[in-house]
Amino acid sequence: MTNQSHSKVYDAIVIGAGAAGLMCAAEAGKRGLNVLLLDHAKQVGKKILISGGGRCNFTNYYVEANAYLSQNPHFCKSALSRYTQWDFIALVDKHGIAYHEKTLGQLFCDDSAKDIVNMLVDECNQAGVTIQLRTAVTSVDYVDNQYQIATSDGLFQANRLVVATGGLSMPKLGATAFGFELARQFGLNLLETRAGLVPFTLQPDDKRCFEPISGVSAPSVIESESGTSFKENLLFTHRGISGPAVLQISSFWQSGEPVYINLIPSQSDENWLLDARKQQGERTLKTLLSEHLAKRIVEQWLLHQQIENKPLKQFDDKQLVELAQRLARWPIKPSGTEGYRTAEVTLGGVDTNELSSKTMEAKKQPGLYFIGEVVDVTGWLGGYNFQWAWSSGWACAQAL
Ligand code: FDA
């Protein structure tokens, strides 16, 4: 570490050159501010680059506040309504980036997530933002209404400081608790953090039973104990269960609770197995269920439930109704999640009560702002988290 001081005082320093930081720095630069964007990584936007399987699900046609989890569900409304998905789509269009809707309003680049990173870097360059990488922040002080940021490359000073260092998920990509620690240093309340949009691990017996079908998926509806449900694919893995339905429900799951899986959502009538028996009583249960669900899932599920495979006519009414009910609401209790190692997001973080929803500025610390995932606002799977990064970054930039 060197002690040299960079004499220039910036109007604003943004720590974290991820989604929110890049957007905020570019927009603040466009407003004529002198902006320094700092990151300890070698590269900007690492999460953007790997997101959406390398194609970045950058927003969603159906962004609205109820697709976000937060202790204060109203907090995200102001930023999301002032910088909308349509504003980001217009930016993507301006840069000539081709994209498509995959499913459920989710927009992906046709080509590569690199297009989004290049677009944001272009915007920063055009706005005169200084981007400084490989720079680790060692301490932050507030002296005479200025932020003094000591780093591995000397001291930087600014009138305003924006914290855009993200959450704890994927430490391998450079995630740190920096933003939370800084919030604590300035006396801001933090809400407990936990991994979200993350696969479940299963109890040893369940895991053993379903391990042979790892890689097999099926359309499903998964419901949490609190009654939230998602209709998307379920995927069996060698550790447990994953797929979009599981990732979505994981954000609503509390340790120790079961989740309820509807394995055959196309059958809504609980008498459907009675009807099937009436029509073709000689068919076995496995044959019938395999018409609605992957055969390998049917086999392992029947084993797991200790249900004998026999002709439908050998089941009585009560058994068939109970079986239909269980297929529609199979309770399974995860042993846990895969944690931050594979989680897409971090739930909790800087308490929104501490921040202005219009500017993201800390109410009790002038000139200090928190944007993106470090804040207690977490979106569903499907482009909602990037939209929060864009919207909160933009809203903050207007106030700097
Ligand atoms: P982000 O994590 O993007 O950036 C934080 C930056 O701060 C990083 O550049 C980091 O290096 C830097 N930093 C951290 N600590 C620092 C320190 N101490 N000093 C200096 N710099 C520091 N969302 C979505 O909407 N669509 C999608 O397709 C996906 N896909 C996806 C895939 C995977 C594998 C993951 C892990 C996540 C997603 N997400 C997603 C979620 C999305 O990536 C996430 O919500 C945003 O990147 C959050 O943006 P931020 O700018 O807040 O943090």
Side-chain angles (χ1 to χ4, degrees):
M1 184 183 148
T2 59
N3 289 322
Q4 109 235 26
S5 168
H6 297 255
S7 52
K8 183 168 166 186
V9 177
Y10 289 91
D11 295 320
I13 292 181
V14 180
I15 307 181
L22 284 161
M23 170 59 86
C24 181
E27 290 298 319
K30 281 184 209 168
R31 294 186 53 247
L33 304 189
N34 263 319
V35 182
L36 173 67
L37 178 57
L38 285 182
D39 203 297
H40 65 165
K42 284 190 275 194
Q43 213 183 353
V44 303
K46 276 183 163 182
K47 273 195 192 162
I48 303 175
L49 291 171
I50 59 149
S51 67
R55 290 223 160 89
C56 186
N57 177 195
F58 55 81
T59 193
N60 192 295
Y61 279 143
Y62 308 116
V63 169
E64 52 179 8
N66 68 9
Y68 292 85
L69 290 87
S70 172
Q71 202 168 78
N72 175 2
H74 303 293
F75 181 84
C76 61
K77 289 181 179 169
S78 171
L80 289 175
S81 66
R82 285 161 61 230
Y83 189 84
T84 66
Q85 64 273 42
W86 309 112
D87 292 316
F88 194 77
I89 293 167
L91 183 65
V92 168
D93 284 337
K94 187 181 110 188
H95 284 256
I97 298 171
Y99 61 88
H100 60 278
E101 179 186 357
K102 201 166 170 189
T103 172
L104 303 168
Q106 301 167 4
L107 301 189
F108 288 75
C109 297
D110 283 358
D111 194 13
S112 161
K114 275 190 209 145
D115 292 342
I116 298 294
V117 173
N118 291 342
M119 172 186 88
L120 293 166
V121 171
D122 273 2
E123 290 281 309
C124 282
N125 290 340
Q126 278 173 33
V129 173
T130 305
I131 301 180
Q132 166 128 358
L133 301 174
R134 301 170 197 254
T135 303
V137 177
T138 48
S139 68
V140 174
D141 288 303
Y142 186 59
V143 182
D144 297 334
N145 299 329
Q146 259 177 15
Y147 289 90
Q148 305 208 332
I149 292 117
T151 75
S152 52
D153 193 36
L155 186 73
F156 295 92
Q157 300 176 75
N159 299 319
R160 273 147 267 166
L161 176 63
V162 181
V163 182
T165 46
L168 301 170
S169 58
M170 300 231 170
K172 260 201 323 209
L173 290 179
T176 69
F178 177 87
F180 304 130
E181 284 157 11
L182 197 76
R184 199 175 290 123
Q185 178 190 330
F186 285 97
L188 274 60
N189 188 43
L190 291 172
L191 299 174
E192 197 184 336
T193 54
R194 64 192 169 86
L197 300 181
V198 62
F200 285 137
T201 52
L202 292 181
Q203 313 279 351
D205 285 349
D206 298 338
K207 177 173 172 272
R208 222 169 291 123
C209 183
F210 293 108
E211 223 164 12
I213 54 168
S214 92
V216 183
S217 69
S220 70
V221 177
I222 306 194
E223 191 177 327
S224 68
E225 191 80 316
S226 57
T228 303
S229 65
F230 289 93
K231 186 176 184 183
E232 290 202 54
N233 266 3
L234 157 76
L235 170 72
F236 290 88
T237 71
H238 57 282
R239 288 194 198 86
I241 49 175
S242 185
V246 168
L247 298 185
Q248 295 281 34
I249 214 66
S250 70
S251 296
F252 294 83
W253 178 76
Q254 300 291 340
S255 180
E257 287 178 358
V259 292
Y260 301 93
I261 302 180
N262 184 345
L263 285 169
I264 308 189
S266 54
Q267 295 294 341
S268 52
D269 181 354
E270 70 171 23
N271 292 327
W272 75 280
L273 290 175
L274 297 180
D275 295 341
R277 184 186 60 190
K278 209 183 286 169
Q279 283 156 19
Q280 283 180 295
E282 299 297 334
R283 283 158 94 207
T284 66
L285 181 62
K286 193 161 92 183
T287 309
L288 174 72
L289 295 184
S290 300
E291 281 172 15
H292 302 274
L293 185 61
K295 189 171 164 210
R296 293 177 65 200
I297 300 181
V298 172
E299 284 167 355
Q300 293 312 117
W301 190 79
L302 290 176
L303 264 180
H304 184 260
Q305 299 291 308
Q306 297 174 331
I307 296 170
E308 194 191 340
N309 181 36
K310 52 187 183 182
L312 292 173
K313 66 179 187 191
Q314 292 178 24
F315 290 91
D316 64 28
D317 287 9
K318 186 165 169 272
Q319 284 172 323
L320 288 182
V321 170
E322 275 175 12
L323 187 53
Q325 286 168 346
R326 183 141 277 235
L327 281 163
R329 197 171 157 77
W330 170 39
I332 186 142
K333 205 185 257 189
S335 62
T337 72
E338 289 188 7
Y340 292 120
R341 192 179 58 80
T342 60
E344 285 201 11
V345 287
T346 301
L347 292 147
V350 177
D351 186 343
T352 57
N353 284 325
E354 300 281 11
L355 307 176
S356 153
S357 62
K358 193 158 180 237
T359 65
M360 308 291 140
E361 187 176 16
K363 291 175 187 167
K364 54 172 84 131
Q365 178 60 42
L368 180 64
Y369 301 76
F370 290 84
I371 57 172
E373 198 180 320
V374 72
V375 179
D376 170 38
V377 173
T378 307
W380 291 353
L381 186 80
Y384 298 96
N385 285 296
F386 279 136
Q387 186 60 45
W388 170 245
W390 319 135
S391 297
S392 59
W394 183 92
C396 172
Q398 308 314 304
L400 291 174

